[in-house]
Amino acid sequence: GIFVTARFEEAQDCITGAESMWVAQKYIENPQIVHGKKFDIRQWVLITSWNPLAVWFYNNAYVRFSFDDYDAKAASNSFAHLTNYSIAKYASDFDEKRDDTMWECDTDYREWLKEVAQETGSKYEDPWEQKIQPQMKRIAYWAMQCVQDEVTQRKNSFELVGFDYMVDTNFNAWLIEINSSPDLSYSTSTTKKLVPQVLEDLLKVVVDCEGFVRDPQRRPRPWGKKLLAKCDSGLFELLQPVRRRKEQKMKQLTQNELASLVVAGKGMTLAKPRRQDAAKVADVPVMDAADLLAAADDEPAVEEGDGSSGGSDDDA
């Protein structure tokens, strides 16, 4: 289950018991609100190889709105805080408003963002393309890198996962969770349009681009610019293709070779610090966390440059 609480004692109650397995997340203080609704973004990501790492990002996604208007003080109203379809469908008039609970990112949400950016004088003309989606791509690749060495590599296999992001008022994307087996049902008119597209493009990637029907003993395809240029992957984009090519060229170690790896070192004697060096250390000002945060707020913001969490999912 999932719930929102403003009481620390209630969160503590979840850690008692032999079978307590909860993930606690701090609430985002400044979530972006669209027409009074809180929302998250469901993003499809396809992994076709773990070593070398091959992460395909689907260049369209959809927004899932809370059913009730957002109210930060009404923590007990799940319909105002949680955007899961599995929760919203229990609202009394959900069937009449079903199609209002989702937007397509590349059209509806993107156009709304442009209007907000223009009204607020933002430096971004197209926040979706210039900031939010590039952040989502970087986060998706970093997340898969974190588990790359923990997953057993199997040839001719793939996994489609559903990333859930939130966006704050500064157009920052935040990863909420990663869902295995994301729901692909036609829950609304938005998913009825997007799901067939993503399934068709998925087959383009695994059959045409990755060549999973080929003889597994054949040499893997070299992932250079020429192959990507002629490969029709639909709306799926291969993240970090240069890195994949480099990993592909690296020698793959066997389990016996991995087991024999050792780290060798030798001892060293630390030199006694000189008196003048000790005096320099004493002159260094000591700052607490509050001082550091205040100093960071005074510095001009630097925009991050562009670079090329999970369980079974029962909501779309």
Side-chain angles (χ1 to χ4, degrees), residues 13-21:
D13 290 341
C14 296
I15 65 175
T16 60
E19 298 182 359
S20 58
M21 295 181 64

Side-chain angles (χ1 to χ4, degrees), residues 237-290:
E237 173 189 350
L238 178 64
L239 301 182
Q240 301 286 355
V242 175
R243 185 183 181 94
R244 177 179 180 175
R245 181 68 184 274
K246 290 181 179 179
E247 289 186 1
Q248 193 176 58
K249 291 181 177 180
M250 295 174 62
K251 181 181 183 298
Q252 303 299 315
L253 299 179
T254 65
Q255 291 296 326
N256 291 333
E257 289 174 327
L258 290 172
S260 63
L261 291 177
V262 295
V263 177
K266 63 180 182 178
M268 60 180 295
T269 303
L270 295 177
K272 184 177 180 180
R274 296 176 298 177
R275 183 174 301 175
Q276 58 267 34
D277 293 336
K280 292 179 182 179
V281 173
D283 294 336
V284 175
V286 178
M287 301 179 68
D288 60 17

